Amino acid sequence: MPLLFLLFFVAVPATELYIMIEVGSEIGAFATIWLVLLTAVIGGWLVRQQGISTIFRMRQQLEQGETPAFDMLQGILLAVAGISLLLPGFVTDTIGFLLLIPPLRHLLVLRWLKNRQIITPAGEKPDVTIIREEIRYSHEDDIIEGEFKRSGQDDDKPQN
């Protein structure tokens, strides 16, 4: 964990600074600043558009009684993309723009779910399977038997 913090707080800013200096020496300081601002604006707009689309899909799934787990994970990746696009620098902008590619996000979410064994390949008996970008739980073996009695009603009277 300390190595991760070192990487995030030292290596990434140092790399960003080096690349910005190199780009600035080629195209000029003001052009570099404008380019960084332009990528932030364009990236923010793209994140907003895809975020709204993801929220509408999630809402539609909720209205149909489905769990929008897959879209929620994609929403998390969109938030990471937005944060990385707002940070100044070309490396973080590249990561942010890559996360805006829907098939890549889809692949990252599937890989994450498979690595944590939340989903399994089709040949194995799954506890959870992915079908059309949604997670469905298979509870075929769960049978609950029991008796119930409605309160306030007599046992002898037929119910309407």
Side-chain angles (χ1 to χ4, degrees), residues 5-142:
F5 284 118
L6 182 68
L7 176 73
F8 186 72
F9 289 112
V10 176
V12 172
T15 304
E16 293 285 11
L17 188 58
Y18 173 76
I19 291 174
M20 287 176 73
I21 290 171
E22 290 296 317
V23 170
S25 67
E26 291 293 322
I27 65 173
F30 289 113
T32 303
I33 292 170
W34 281 109
L35 187 59
V36 168
L37 292 174
L38 181 67
T39 58
V41 169
I42 291 172
W45 182 78
L46 289 171
V47 167
R48 181 177 182 268
Q49 296 300 317
Q50 290 189 21
I52 289 171
S53 172
T54 301
I55 288 171
F56 280 130
R57 275 195 317 271
M58 288 170 53
R59 187 173 182 190
Q60 185 178 37
Q61 288 173 354
L62 285 171
E63 288 172 357
Q64 294 173 353
E66 300 172 357
T67 304
F70 198 86
D71 281 324
M72 286 196 297
L73 292 173
Q74 286 200 20
I76 291 170
L77 287 180
L78 281 173
V80 170
I83 290 168
S84 66
L85 285 165
L86 289 177
L87 292 173
F90 296 112
V91 174
T92 53
D93 286 348
T94 302
I95 292 169
F97 281 119
L98 286 174
L99 288 175
L100 289 177
I101 301 171
L104 181 61
R105 268 197 329 267
H106 182 85
L107 179 69
L108 289 172
V109 169
L110 281 178
R111 183 163 294 179
W112 185 82
L113 291 171
K114 285 179 185 175
N115 286 342
R116 279 153 186 76
Q117 297 179 349
I118 296 173
I119 61 172
T120 57
E124 300 174 16
K125 184 178 179 186
D127 287 332
V128 178
T129 56
I130 283 235
I131 301 171
R132 281 187 247 135
E133 294 187 358
E134 64 190 56
I135 296 178
R136 295 183 187 226
Y137 298 91
S138 63
H139 295 287
E140 298 167 352
D141 298 333
D142 295 344

